[in-house]
Amino acid sequence: MPLIMMTGFPSSGKSTRAAELKQLFEERLSQPENQHRKHTVHIISDTTLGVPHSAYAHASEEKNARSALLSAVERLVTREHIVIADTPNYIKGLRYQLYCTAREEGTTHCVVYCALPVDAARQINQMRGSDGYADNVFDELTMRYEEPNSATRWDSPLFTIIQNDPNDKLPFDSIWDAIVERRAPPPTFSTAVKPAEETNYQFELDR
């Protein structure tokens, strides 16, 4: 079943939205008339993977964190599961890898972008104290952040939520229609045979 990629700056509210999504999915799936009611919803996050914020300060640890995420998604993305990847997903290369995994499994995907100005995200992060990212890690992640682009196949369908607008609600009905009711496209050669090296992913992205 579907893969949902959360993305946005650190402390932009991704985990809150992921939890909201999970609750909405479970409520709809529990309805007796729902043909998908046997499916379960899973959130994969740095917390569930045991990845500390400090891992993003070191290239080798960050690479291990990405590998752990990809392995967890590959295990869970089946016909019985809806998977919410609540990790930074801040670079297009990682989102492309996750997209390839979904395509390989013959399931749909979407991206939920929690948009928040960097200064607002920084203020929230600082308010979290030791539970937030260190200032240098926060600055590094925001500097390297690659905003999703709906014109690319791995970032589409794209649902953008303006986090500092209290009237901008999670478009759950649209997300449901896009990833549950829509049929997944068949795998292509590039997704059915996934590149082994990250450099190959970058080549594919730049084509």
Side-chain angles (χ1 to χ4, degrees):
M1 284 299 285
L3 170 65
I4 302 170
M5 293 179 256
M6 309 299 295
T7 188
F9 288 145
S11 300
S12 60
K14 296 185 298 296
S15 294
T16 299
R17 293 296 188 176
E20 182 183 355
L21 259 180
K22 184 175 187 290
Q23 180 179 351
L24 291 169
F25 271 113
E26 289 176 339
E27 289 174 355
R28 183 162 297 185
L29 291 169
S30 68
Q31 297 174 1
E33 69 277 10
N34 195 302
Q35 61 178 329
H36 305 288
R37 61 184 179 275
K38 294 183 179 180
H39 300 305
T40 55
V41 187
H42 301 268
I43 293 179
I44 300 174
S45 66
D46 283 345
T47 300
T48 64
L49 295 173
V51 176
H53 292 333
S54 59
Y56 295 96
H58 308 281
S60 59
E61 292 184 31
E62 182 175 348
K63 185 175 181 180
N64 291 337
R66 292 183 197 171
S67 296
L69 168 64
L70 290 167
S71 296
V73 169
E74 288 172 357
R75 288 194 303 270
L76 283 175
V77 173
T78 68
R79 295 183 182 275
E80 292 78 31
H81 299 149
I82 295 173
V83 178
I84 303 172
D86 177 27
T87 50
N89 303 324
Y90 69 96
I91 57 174
K92 63 182 180 181
L94 177 57
R95 296 197 297 270
Y96 177 71
Q97 287 179 282
L98 291 168
Y99 157 82
C100 287
T101 298
R103 288 291 300 272
E104 184 183 41
E105 295 297 328
T107 190
T108 54
H109 84 289
C110 75
V111 174
V112 176
Y113 174 32
C114 296
L116 187 68
V118 65
D119 288 341
R122 180 181 288 107
Q123 183 178 8
I124 293 171
N125 185 68
Q126 291 173 343
M127 290 172 60
R128 291 177 175 174
S130 60
D131 291 331
Y133 292 84
D135 289 344
N136 63 312
V137 176
F138 179 91
D139 291 340
E140 182 69 19
L141 289 176
T142 54
M143 182 181 67
R144 289 188 284 155
Y145 186 77
E146 295 177 317
E147 188 172 320
N149 179 2
S150 62
T152 61
R153 58 192 183 279
W154 53 88
D155 283 338
S156 179
L158 173 63
F159 300 95
T160 299
I161 308 168
I162 308 302
Q163 291 288 78
N164 56 346
D165 181 355
N167 297 316
D168 200 6
K169 307 298 183 182
L170 190 67
F172 178 68
D173 288 336
S174 296
I175 293 173
W176 175 275
D177 290 341
I179 65 173
V180 177
E181 302 298 343
R182 184 171 66 94
R183 179 173 296 182
T188 61
F189 177 78
S190 63
T191 57
V193 183
K194 294 187 293 185
E197 300 293 335
E198 290 188 11
T199 52
N200 289 351
Y201 280 103
Q202 191 60 48
F203 172 79
E204 179 68 19
L205 291 172
D206 292 337
R207 287 175 61 183

